[in-house]
Amino acid sequence: MLLILAILPIVVTVGLGVFAGLRHQFAPTTSDILIQLVMHYALPLSLFGGILSLKRATIIQNSSVALWLALGMLGGMVIVIVSQCCFHQQLETGTLRALVIASPSIPFMGVSVLLVVFGKISVLLVALGGLYMNLVQVPVSVLLLTLAGGSTPEQRWRAGW
């Protein structure tokens, strides 16, 4: 029942968006503007304010949660890449699969869903998940895709792409 209450606002919001889209109430470019507003301003400010409202003792007390989140996201990525190599898949394919499998949509749906389940500490989980994705998973994926492509950034620059 708790998960239904957590996911229900998302379902209603998506439903309202579909309804508004079917009635052509917004221009096609409006969604791009709303996405930029949410991703560049609303979400970062919400996370910043939420983390500032947490006490230092609460953050330290939940360090094991941060460790488990890192293990799940980063360890999951390593497991998928290694298993793809064991089954003789291309490194590009394995890297992209690992990124898709091990990168949950924490920044997009995390605040609304995790807030109901975990309470105020969910802001910390969303921020850490975003940091793990942006500071580790994406750079490692770009590095592996570059290595798998067999060309250096300088070679691609000289080739014109």
Side-chain angles (χ1 to χ4, degrees):
M1 184 67 177
L2 186 65
L3 288 177
I4 292 172
L5 290 175
I7 296 174
L8 187 62
I10 295 169
V11 172
V12 170
T13 304
V14 170
L16 287 173
V18 169
F19 179 71
L22 291 174
R23 295 193 59 199
H24 303 289
Q25 290 184 315
F26 297 103
T29 57
T30 307
S31 65
D32 293 337
I33 294 168
L34 288 174
I35 289 170
Q36 287 181 4
L37 174 72
V38 169
M39 296 308 293
H40 291 230
Y41 298 102
L43 180 64
L45 288 173
S46 170
L47 292 176
F48 183 70
I51 289 174
L52 283 180
S53 68
L54 291 176
K55 294 183 170 139
R56 183 178 296 173
T58 306
I59 295 173
I60 294 170
Q61 196 175 25
N62 288 291
S63 61
S64 62
V65 175
L67 181 67
W68 282 108
L69 184 63
L71 186 65
M73 290 178 69
L74 308 177
M77 188 171 181
V78 170
I79 289 169
V80 173
I81 291 173
V82 169
S83 67
Q84 291 295 307
C85 291
C86 290
F87 290 116
H88 304 291
Q89 297 287 321
Q90 292 181 351
L91 184 58
E92 296 100 331
T93 306
T95 301
L96 292 175
R97 281 185 184 150
L99 190 60
V100 168
I101 291 170
S103 296
S105 60
I106 287 179
F108 306 107
M109 296 177 121
V111 176
S112 59
V113 174
L114 293 177
L115 185 64
V116 175
V117 178
F118 289 106
K120 208 171 181 182
I121 197 67
S122 65
V123 174
L124 181 64
L125 298 175
V126 172
L128 286 173
L131 285 173
Y132 294 151
M133 260 191 285
N134 292 316
L135 295 179
V136 180
Q137 287 181 324
V138 172
V140 167
S141 298
V142 170
L143 176 68
L144 290 174
L145 289 171
T146 302
L147 292 174
S151 63
T152 64
E154 182 180 326
Q155 290 170 335
R156 285 195 305 276
W157 181 77
R158 286 186 182 161
W161 52 283

